């Protein structure tokens, strides 16, 4: 009976999608090439996996309207991580442990086990004691149609961890054993807990993998853990850590103790709209990460869940990024090479001298484009370089590269008449010969990668089509730019 209830709830949701998707598709703020839902609300990416020759992307999803509520798992597949085909929903709330309007099938991950595709997710319900979160299993023979395990939930919050702060399982296999990390909070301090299993159904506690002593917030959401080179990487989205929304730790890990000792900490993205990234291995062995291009703490300041809500949808994902380990054990986050297939046209300049008078730049239609350049620092005497994107009708996204104060500031306060806030980060000047800048702009977002893809800013803006001009200038001197290139980007969504 419970399986029939989930199937019926999926049918109802699919009917809603079919009835609304064409109208939603005409929305003025729809992205051109970033992954987004056909209708309704999207948040965390889930269950990223390469399975039977295709990349599978699952996602937190409310198909009914453009704000967070009653969460399902959406599902799409791709052969190149760029062009996505929507499949029927994978999971819908249907059981006592996940059927709740302000809950549902929360975040999780996927793994292949005994030839089947397994999903492990957080079921969120309310039985009169607030939000109760447990870890649950669903599986599929064909990778499309899923059945929930009759023995769910397979894991409940341990002693000392509130049942409302135990979620987002990420599972992997090492040798003949399965391992899982979950985000948690104990005594108002963030933790990642480690479990193991021989069969995917019966789990035993191993250790606190890593924890915050207060310096990194009170809850770590969406933990991801994997080996990269000769080190291990833990990524989390901390709650209560101020401007930090997606951080990484690099260090050493021992399976026999279950303890992760980190020695390097960094920011995945300094932007106002990057959260809950999850990674997976590609067919050729690359570690690729996809993040949610939004952020919970920012949402409380929304007037009405944002401009796209009025169009019947909300939320999209960042472009996929390859994670690479540097010699100093910091990480790079590089846009995947497959994105190049979307380039159209193209303009290149070997060198440009930028003065305070400035000049106009062109890149595609000025809305959806890719742009790259390098600033030769040793031949630049300007105090700062100002790059204005999506300019027009008195509005702009201001990108300031301040060489005097070694700071990057992305200011969207004048971007669209609605968005607020600036993202900022420091960058190293001394001993550097150049500053590399790589930009991906879409209808409702701008992602800026700098400093060898280690200093990145993802910000959403909701600009009109007439805002399609690009202007660059300096302050206090000139700047020399080399290897400038720009392209339009095909519309595929």
């Amino acid at each position: 009976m419970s399986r029939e209830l989930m199937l019926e709830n999926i049918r109802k949701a699919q009917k809603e999608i079919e009835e609304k998707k064409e109208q939603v598709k005409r929305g003025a703020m729809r992205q051109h090439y970033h992954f987004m839902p056909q209708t309704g609300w999207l948040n965390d990416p889930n269950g990223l996996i390469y399975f039977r020759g295709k990349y599978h992307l699952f996602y937190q999803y409310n198909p009914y309207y453009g704000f967070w509520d009653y969460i399902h798992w959406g599902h799409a597949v791709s052969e190149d991580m760029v062009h996505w085909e929507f499949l029927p929903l994978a999971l819908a709330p249907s059981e006592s442990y996940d059927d709740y309007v302000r809950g549902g099938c929360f975040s999780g991950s996927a793994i292949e086990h005994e030839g089947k595709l397994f999903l492990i997710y957080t079921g969120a319900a309310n039985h009169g004691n607030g939000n109760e979160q447990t870890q649950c299993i669903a599986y599929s023979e064909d990778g499309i149609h899923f059945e929930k395990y009759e023995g769910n939930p397979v894991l409940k919050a341990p002693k000392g961890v509130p049942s409302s702060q135990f979620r987002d399982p990420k599972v992997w296999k090492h040798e003949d054993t399965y391992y899982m990390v979950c985000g948690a909070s104990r005594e108002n301090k963030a933790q990642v807990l480690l479990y193991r299993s021989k069969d995917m159904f019966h789990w035993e506690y191993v250790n606190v993998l890593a924890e915050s002593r207060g310096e990194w917030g009170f809850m770590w959401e969406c933990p991801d853990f994997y080996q990269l080179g000769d080190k291990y990487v833990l990524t989390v989205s901390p709650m209560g850590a101020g401007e930090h929304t997606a951080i990484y730790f690099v260090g050493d890990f021992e399976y026999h103790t279950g303890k992760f000792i980190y020695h390097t900490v960094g920011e995945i993205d300094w932007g106002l709209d990057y959260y809950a990234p999850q990674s997976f291995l590609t067919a050729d062995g690359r570690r690729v990460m996809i993040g949610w291009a939004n952020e919970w703490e920012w949402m409380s300041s929304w007037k009405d869940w944002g401009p796209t809500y009025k169009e019947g949808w909300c939320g999209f994902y960042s472009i996929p990024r390859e994670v690479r380990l540097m010699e100093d054990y910091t990480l790079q986050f590089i846009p995947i090479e497959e994105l190049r297939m979307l380039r159209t046209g193209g303009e290149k300049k070997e060198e440009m001298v930028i003065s305070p008078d400035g000049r106009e730049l062109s890149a595609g239609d000025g809305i959806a484009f890719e742009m790259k350049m390098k600033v030769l620092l040793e031949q630049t005497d300007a105090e700062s370089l100002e790059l204005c994107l999506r300019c027009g009708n008195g509005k702009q996204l201001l990108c300031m590269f301040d060489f005097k104060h070694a700071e990057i500031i992305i200011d969207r306060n004048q971007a669209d008449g609605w968005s607020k806030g600036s993202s900022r980060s420091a960058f190293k000047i001394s001993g550097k010969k150049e500053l590399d800048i790589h930009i991906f702009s879409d209808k409702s977002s701008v992602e800026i990668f700098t400093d060898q893809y280690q200093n990145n800013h993802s910000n959403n803006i909701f600009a009109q089509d007439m805002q399609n001009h690009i202007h660059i200038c300096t302050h206090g001197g000139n700047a020399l730019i080399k290897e400038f290139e720009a392209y339009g980007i095909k519309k595929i969504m």
Side-chain angles (χ1 to χ4, degrees):
M1 180 64 183
S2 60
R3 184 171 186 271
E4 287 302 316
L5 180 57
M6 185 175 84
L7 292 176
E8 176 59 27
N9 289 344
I10 287 177
R11 282 192 289 267
K12 286 168 55 179
Q14 291 294 153
K15 183 173 183 290
E16 187 84 4
I17 294 168
E18 289 301 315
E19 290 177 351
K20 293 180 177 179
K21 68 180 183 180
E22 290 305 317
Q23 177 184 345
V24 171
K25 191 175 183 178
R26 295 192 291 270
M29 294 300 161
R30 296 285 283 179
Q31 295 279 64
H32 289 197
Y33 59 94
H34 285 73
F35 181 88
M36 57 191 166
Q38 292 173 290
T39 65
W41 164 272
L42 168 148
N43 58 286
D44 306 353
N46 296 156
L48 304 179
I49 189 170
Y50 185 74
F51 178 72
R52 295 184 184 173
K54 289 190 176 182
Y55 296 102
H56 289 250
L57 168 62
F58 300 88
Y59 49 96
Q60 292 283 273
Y61 185 40
N62 173 12
Y64 293 99
Y65 26 78
F67 59 85
W68 182 87
D69 201 44
Y70 202 48
I71 295 299
H72 300 57
W73 272 39
H75 188 191
V77 294
S78 173
E79 294 181 353
D80 57 17
M81 297 178 285
V82 175
H83 300 85
W84 293 93
E85 173 192 353
F86 290 99
L87 293 180
L89 302 187
L91 298 175
S94 63
E95 311 303 315
S96 61
Y97 52 79
D98 66 13
D99 195 1
Y100 178 57
V101 173
R102 303 298 292 174
C105 303
F106 279 10
S107 296
S109 55
I111 193 169
E112 183 174 356
H113 172 59
E114 295 182 344
K116 299 178 183 179
L117 183 57
F118 271 62
L119 307 181
I120 182 162
Y121 70 98
T122 297
N126 190 324
H127 303 293
N129 298 311
N131 192 293
E132 297 183 39
Q133 298 169 2
T134 56
Q135 314 318 318
C136 307
I137 294 282
Y139 43 82
S140 170
E141 295 278 359
D142 61 6
I144 300 175
H145 304 93
F146 289 86
E147 180 178 347
K148 293 176 183 176
Y149 173 48
E150 290 185 358
N152 281 338
V154 298
L155 197 59
K156 296 182 178 181
K159 184 177 180 180
V161 172
S163 62
S164 62
Q165 303 283 18
F166 180 58
R167 55 185 175 270
D168 308 337
K170 177 63 186 284
V171 63
W172 73 96
K173 188 176 184 180
H174 176 71
E175 295 178 348
D176 62 347
T177 303
Y178 294 95
Y179 291 85
M180 174 175 63
V181 288
C182 288
S185 180
R186 195 191 306 263
E187 298 179 352
N188 212 36
K189 295 177 182 177
Q191 293 184 330
V192 169
L193 306 180
L194 178 66
Y195 295 83
R196 66 185 168 212
S197 171
K198 290 291 186 180
D199 62 4
M200 281 290 295
F201 296 108
H202 302 88
W203 294 88
E204 64 174 353
Y205 172 75
V206 179
N207 206 346
V208 175
L209 183 91
E211 61 187 328
S212 167
R213 303 298 176 88
E215 74 277 28
W216 290 110
F218 66 86
M219 172 69 188
W220 282 347
E221 292 198 300
C222 303
D224 194 0
F225 190 66
Y226 50 86
Q227 188 171 1
L228 198 61
D230 61 348
K231 294 294 177 180
Y232 283 82
V233 175
L234 171 67
T235 65
V236 298
S237 283
M239 300 179 71
E243 296 178 3
H244 306 284
T245 62
I247 57 176
Y248 70 82
F249 305 90
V250 178
D252 300 299
F253 173 67
E254 299 174 335
Y255 273 98
H256 69 283
T257 64
K259 184 63 74 173
F260 172 63
I261 308 298
Y262 63 86
H263 48 66
T264 302
V265 182
E267 208 81 18
I268 299 171
D269 196 298
W270 284 103
L272 300 173
D273 298 299
Y274 192 87
Y275 199 81
Q278 187 174 119
S279 74
F280 64 111
L281 282 175
T282 63
D284 58 2
R286 288 172 291 164
R287 175 64 59 173
V288 169
M289 171 184 286
I290 295 176
W292 174 37
N294 254 334
E295 197 276 310
W296 287 118
E297 292 185 2
W298 181 56
M299 268 191 275
S300 62
S301 67
W302 285 25
K303 299 178 181 67
D304 52 12
W305 296 88
T308 69
Y309 163 72
K310 300 171 185 177
E311 299 177 358
W313 69 286
C314 187
F316 45 88
Y317 288 150
S318 65
I319 56 174
R321 308 173 183 185
E322 182 184 351
V323 185
R324 292 184 186 174
L325 183 68
M326 300 284 279
E327 288 184 1
D328 63 357
Y329 298 121
T330 57
L331 298 182
Q332 293 178 297
F333 303 94
I334 305 170
I336 60 170
E337 300 224 347
E338 286 85 344
L339 290 165
R340 295 182 181 183
M341 72 176 72
L342 299 181
R343 289 175 174 175
T344 62
E347 180 178 342
K348 295 185 178 183
K349 295 183 185 298
E350 288 301 314
E351 279 191 0
M352 291 190 296
V353 176
I354 309 300
S355 71
D357 292 334
R359 63 185 293 172
E360 297 295 310
L361 299 176
S362 62
D365 62 2
I367 298 170
F369 63 85
E370 178 185 358
M371 179 184 292
K372 297 179 72 174
M373 68 185 80
K374 293 180 180 179
V375 183
L376 299 188
L377 298 175
E378 294 178 330
Q379 299 177 59
T380 292
D381 60 8
E383 292 183 355
S384 61
L385 177 72
E386 179 182 298
L387 181 61
C388 298
L389 307 174
R390 301 302 304 276
C391 305
N393 200 26
K395 296 181 174 63
Q396 64 181 10
L397 177 70
L398 177 63
C399 310
M400 185 69 72
F401 302 91
D402 189 333
F403 307 125
K404 183 177 180 180
H405 300 100
E407 190 170 46
I408 299 171
I409 301 172
I410 313 298
D411 183 347
R412 67 179 184 188
N413 286 295
Q414 306 301 321
D416 55 26
W418 184 86
S419 298
K420 299 295 181 184
S422 299
S423 60
R424 59 190 180 88
S425 62
F427 68 100
K428 185 179 178 182
I429 293 287
S430 299
K432 291 192 66 172
K433 293 183 178 181
E434 60 187 33
L435 175 66
D436 52 292
I437 301 170
H438 193 175
I439 297 170
F440 284 84
S441 173
D442 204 342
K443 176 59 187 175
S444 296
S445 65
V446 177
E447 293 170 77
I448 301 174
F449 301 86
T450 68
D451 224 357
Q452 293 186 299
Y453 301 95
Q454 296 189 286
N455 201 335
N456 311 314
H457 291 250
S458 296
N459 289 301
N460 297 344
I461 60 170
F462 303 98
Q464 301 297 318
D465 284 348
M466 66 185 70
Q467 294 175 233
N468 61 352
H469 296 282
I470 303 167
H471 185 264
I472 190 169
C473 67
T474 57
H475 298 277
N478 296 331
L480 181 62
I481 288 177
K482 72 168 186 174
E483 297 179 20
F484 173 86
E485 53 185 304
Y487 307 89
I489 298 184
K490 298 174 187 175
K491 186 173 183 177
I492 58 171
M493 291 299 293

